[in-house]
Amino acid sequence: MKKEQELKKRTRPNEVVKLSPQEITAFQNKIYRYYMKHRRPFAWRDVISPYRVFISEVMLQQTQTTRVIDKFALFLSVFPDFATLAQSPFSEVLRHWKGLGYNRRARFLHDSAAIIVEQFDGELPADPEILERLPGIGPATAASICVFAFDMALSFVETNIRTVYLYHFFGDQENVSDRELLSFVSATVDHERPREWYYALMDYGVMLKKSVGNLNRKSRHYVKQSKFEGSDRQVRGRILELLLEHDSLSVTELVAQLTEPAERVQRLIDTLAAEQIVQYRGQQVLLA
DNA sequence: GTCCAGAGTA
DNA sequence: TACTCTGGAC
């Protein structure tokens, strides 16, 4: 039987992946051999604390490592711990977030810090189910935080890991779901040193993307990025930029500055207000 | 034009 | 399940 067919058969729904100990070891060794020579140093790897891991994992959601590096250093110097972050005004958090994109994350992060201070005495819980209840923390980030902060042998899939498993275990298969990938991740995790294992997996995935191209198009969850120029996302960013500069502006003033239809600006401000990124004070708009 | 250590919402 | 959300590097 062809290898692809074998693997396909192994991944029927609700079936536990059965890889032989030899297969698992060979796979792990390949990943670790690459990692030993090409480990990527990052500030959030080289000095580890629950807070640093938490901030970095949220920053790294859908955001390139190169974009995060400088932002992480500055953010940590301004907001060194959960208590400081929770006490700081949201406008200052957003000011140090801006440029990373997905500005909702700044709101989520600020709210999470408050919850961690109030409900958990400023100590990040080492429990993925508890972390997943925090705003902006889904299953992947909850697991990754526990892996990197507490060295727990959990399973998660992100873009680099997805690339590795598609390449090694799914041949030419298309429309592969993350649930299928997760069963392989779970079967191959290094229980002795989970944190290092996931660093290695991600570094290896980055290398694969450069050498064999983006395999994620074979993922069931692949979606092509819509264009940014002229998009709502771009105008939202410009609205926040204006509010960071001027503290408070009327809708009329925002429309004038943006040279966009008033209807569109109004709609985007309403969305930002619903997400509690901005707020109305009378006719004035300001950061929440 | 394509991508990125995904999550929230309906 | 499908859609929205950043913005700069390449």
Side-chain angles (χ1 to χ4, degrees):
Chain A
M1 198 186 287
K2 285 183 64 182
K3 194 173 183 183
E4 288 88 334
Q5 291 172 325
E6 277 179 35
L7 291 167
K8 196 165 189 174
K9 201 175 171 186
R10 285 172 177 167
T11 56
R12 279 178 304 206
N14 301 322
E15 189 173 345
V16 177
V17 179
K18 290 199 179 72
L19 291 170
S20 70
Q22 291 81 359
E23 285 177 294
I24 293 171
T25 304
F27 175 66
Q28 289 177 342
N29 286 344
K30 180 188 275 286
I31 304 299
Y32 275 135
R33 270 196 297 277
Y34 176 83
Y35 180 63
M36 281 190 288
K37 289 189 178 177
H38 301 94
R39 179 184 186 276
R40 295 178 298 167
F42 289 119
W44 51 89
R45 286 187 181 184
D46 298 337
V47 179
I48 295 173
S49 74
Y51 179 72
R52 293 169 66 87
V53 170
F54 190 89
I55 300 298
S56 65
E57 286 304 312
V58 174
M59 285 188 171
L60 287 161
Q61 291 172 354
Q62 292 286 287
T63 307
Q64 287 95 337
T65 55
T66 53
R67 184 192 294 279
V68 169
I69 291 170
D70 289 346
K71 295 287 182 182
F72 178 79
L74 182 58
F75 198 92
L76 263 288
S77 68
V78 178
F79 312 108
D81 48 52
F82 286 116
T84 307
L85 181 56
Q87 289 163 12
S88 302
F90 173 67
S91 58
E92 284 311 296
V93 179
L94 187 68
R95 189 180 303 283
H96 291 91
W97 189 273
K98 189 136 186 30
L100 283 169
Y102 293 108
N103 293 302
R104 288 188 301 181
R105 293 183 294 173
R107 160 54 59 198
F108 292 151
L109 198 56
H110 197 213
D111 291 345
S112 288
I115 293 170
I116 291 161
V117 168
E118 290 167 17
Q119 297 185 19
F120 302 100
D121 201 25
E123 294 262 327
L124 190 66
D127 182 337
E129 291 185 17
I130 296 175
L131 293 178
E132 209 172 324
R133 292 189 215 123
L134 295 171
I137 306 299
T141 307
S144 67
I145 289 169
C146 287
V147 168
F148 296 129
F150 307 115
D151 209 16
M152 292 167 64
L154 303 176
S155 304
F156 68 96
V157 171
E158 49 72 66
T159 185
N160 299 311
I161 295 172
R162 191 179 289 128
T163 301
V164 175
Y165 285 84
L166 284 171
Y167 180 77
H168 274 277
F169 297 106
F170 288 85
D172 294 326
Q173 267 186 259
E174 299 197 1
N175 202 29
V176 181
S177 72
D178 282 352
R179 195 175 54 76
E180 291 177 276
L181 290 169
L182 266 174
S183 62
F184 279 85
V185 174
S186 174
T188 52
V189 67
D190 181 356
H191 287 81
E192 301 299 315
R193 38 180 179 165
R195 175 160 43 207
E196 289 298 314
W197 169 243
Y198 277 97
Y199 288 160
L201 265 183
M202 294 165 109
D203 290 1
Y204 188 79
V206 170
M207 178 276 291
L208 274 183
K209 277 187 181 167
K210 290 178 189 160
S211 59
V212 304
N214 184 16
L215 297 178
N216 287 329
R217 290 184 180 83
K218 300 199 305 184
S219 164
R220 183 174 299 175
H221 314 284
Y222 171 75
V223 282
K224 198 174 76 170
Q225 178 71 53
S226 59
K227 79 170 180 182
F228 180 66
E229 194 61 34
S231 67
D232 283 355
R233 306 202 311 262
Q234 185 181 41
V235 180
R236 277 168 59 105
R238 289 170 59 201
I239 291 172
L240 296 185
E241 209 155 336
L242 287 167
L243 292 177
L244 279 170
E245 198 175 334
H246 295 98
D247 289 341
S248 153
L249 291 166
S250 67
V251 176
T252 313
E253 288 171 324
L254 281 166
V255 171
Q257 292 284 329
L258 292 165
T259 62
E260 291 285 337
E263 213 168 69
R264 183 182 195 191
V265 174
Q266 184 64 254
R267 176 174 61 81
L268 293 174
I269 294 172
D270 286 345
T271 308
L272 286 166
E275 293 170 356
Q276 297 187 51
I277 295 173
V278 307
Q279 59 180 315
Y280 287 101
R281 189 171 293 167
Q283 290 301 310
Q284 294 296 108
V285 182
L286 59 157
L287 293 171

